[in-house]
Amino acid sequence: MEFFSKERMMKVGIVGAGMVGSAAGYALAMLGIVHEIVLVDMNDALAIAQAEDISHAVPFLSATVVRAGQYADLDGAGVVILAAGVSQKPGETRLELLGRNAAVFRQVVGRVLDVAPGCILLIATNPVDVMTQVATRLSGIDASRVIGSGTILDTARFRSLVGRHLGISPQSVHAYVLGEHGDSEVLGWSSARAGSVSLLSFASQVGRPLTDDIRNQIDDGVRNAAYKIISGKGSTYYGIGSGLARIVKAIAQDQRDVLSVSMVTREVAGVRDVALSIPRIIGAQGVLSDLVPDMNADERQALRRSAELLKERADAVPL
């Protein structure tokens, strides 16, 4: 099978035109990095409305074509974002979504690959790590072409809160959240840097020490951000929409960026064949390489627990 070229990447499909799918489409359209975005949804009226609304914003910033379509219109897409599924309810964990959303994927994945067999699948549906594993098993394609958004948003939250405490741009904070996009995620404090120095050294130099209390506050802010947002407005979508657009940009422009995304990984923390997030190099062909950051003993053990939890959940899904 011939895989897509960089030129084919100029078309992106989005299956699921709800808040996450439409936010991703909007972010992509504003970046202007793809030629065409096709929104597909079982509710045709919703897909049409979202495409029209986004297309009306395009003239201000880009020339991206945004339209609604059917599965057949995904032909030629280099990336298809899967944002189809049921929404997370207030108080419901991401893992509790598993049974309901696995049934959705049984229908969606095959229909996408029938018309776009060479595409990269970008998974946004929660619980995203388990759904990435489900999509990999259902699709039968190489795991490097089935990428979950994973902890890209958690990592952004981590960097934002650290940057806020240190009084610097979050783009100058180099830190990753590992493992599950959810309750068992692991904040990688040991490998975190601000500029070129460790967080502890940077914090000391600027007179803003990272005390245990501050670290606990940041951990809580990252780990429980989604629950707070869902409690206030029902769902999260702007952050993850932008994160999905960032992943597409790395693929479309073959940037070979290091991003914390989820993929079925041969072995991590002693657990084999499990989808979770570690930093990975992303380019035109998908995931090019995995990177394991330095961790202390507690972080390694926490990552193993996260991997074991996700492996157990994924193995329990009947396909």
Side-chain angles (χ1 to χ4, degrees):
M1 180 186 299
E2 182 180 353
F3 293 98
F4 62 86
S5 66
K6 289 174 68 176
E7 287 74 18
R8 282 191 63 193
M9 265 306 304
M10 298 304 288
K11 179 176 182 178
V12 172
I14 301 176
V15 179
M19 296 308 297
V20 170
S22 62
Y26 177 77
L28 276 172
M30 295 302 96
L31 285 173
I33 58 172
V34 298
H35 170 66
E36 183 179 7
I37 300 168
V38 179
L39 291 170
V40 177
D41 197 279
M42 62 183 300
N43 182 343
D44 290 334
L46 176 62
I48 292 169
Q50 298 283 33
E52 284 290 294
D53 196 13
I54 296 170
S55 68
H56 297 161
V58 166
F60 297 107
L61 291 172
S62 79
T64 302
V65 175
V66 184
R67 65 186 180 93
Q70 304 299 318
Y71 281 95
D73 296 300
L74 299 176
D75 180 33
V79 171
V80 176
I81 298 172
L82 300 187
V86 292
S87 299
Q88 188 175 13
K89 299 176 181 178
E92 181 182 37
T93 68
R94 295 178 179 91
L95 293 176
E96 289 171 341
L97 286 172
L98 174 56
R100 296 192 293 147
N101 279 331
V104 174
F105 269 37
R106 292 187 191 100
Q107 302 177 37
V108 169
V109 171
R111 298 185 71 180
V112 169
L113 294 178
D114 282 345
V115 294
C119 75
I120 290 173
L121 296 175
L122 179 51
I123 314 302
T125 303
N126 273 323
V128 70
D129 301 294
V130 179
M131 296 310 300
T132 299
Q133 189 130 7
V134 167
T136 303
R137 290 165 62 186
L138 288 171
S139 68
I141 64 177
D142 192 272
S144 64
R145 292 170 50 215
V146 185
I147 304 172
S149 57
T151 60
I152 193 165
L153 177 55
D154 311 86
T155 290
R157 291 166 174 162
F158 187 17
R159 295 177 179 184
S160 177
L161 291 174
V162 170
R164 189 180 303 173
H165 172 71
L166 297 178
I168 61 173
S169 165
Q171 294 182 350
S172 293
V173 178
H174 310 291
Y176 296 93
V177 176
L178 314 173
E180 179 196 5
H181 170 55
D183 298 336
S184 70
E185 64 190 22
V186 182
L187 276 63
W189 289 101
S190 294
S191 60
R193 298 287 184 271
S196 62
V197 299
S198 71
L199 287 188
L200 289 178
S201 176
F202 190 100
S204 176
Q205 291 184 53
V206 299
R208 300 191 179 189
L210 277 166
T211 63
D212 288 343
D213 184 56
I214 293 296
R215 286 173 53 142
N216 288 336
Q217 289 178 34
I218 291 173
D219 185 283
D220 181 73
V222 174
R223 197 176 304 276
N224 295 310
Y227 298 119
K228 181 178 181 180
I229 294 169
I230 290 169
S231 176
K233 69 173 191 174
S235 60
T236 66
Y237 37 89
Y238 293 129
I240 190 56
S242 296
L244 291 164
R246 180 67 183 85
I247 297 168
V248 172
K249 182 181 180 184
I251 298 169
Q253 299 182 349
D254 196 19
Q255 291 186 209
R256 303 187 175 224
D257 291 319
V258 178
L259 303 173
S260 57
V261 295
S262 187
M263 186 188 86
V264 175
T265 309
R266 184 171 300 174
E267 188 275 330
V268 62
V271 181
R272 296 187 60 82
D273 299 320
V274 61
L276 47 59
S277 288
I278 55 176
R280 306 181 197 270
I281 302 173
I282 309 296
Q285 298 301 319
V287 175
L288 305 178
S289 184
D290 299 337
L291 303 168
V292 179
D294 295 332
M295 292 177 280
N296 62 29
D298 289 341
E299 291 166 346
R300 284 194 296 271
Q301 183 58 36
L303 182 59
R304 181 180 179 89
R305 287 196 300 268
S306 184
E308 289 172 341
L309 171 65
L310 289 169
K311 175 71 170 176
E312 178 184 350
R313 296 293 181 126
D315 287 349
V317 181
L319 296 178

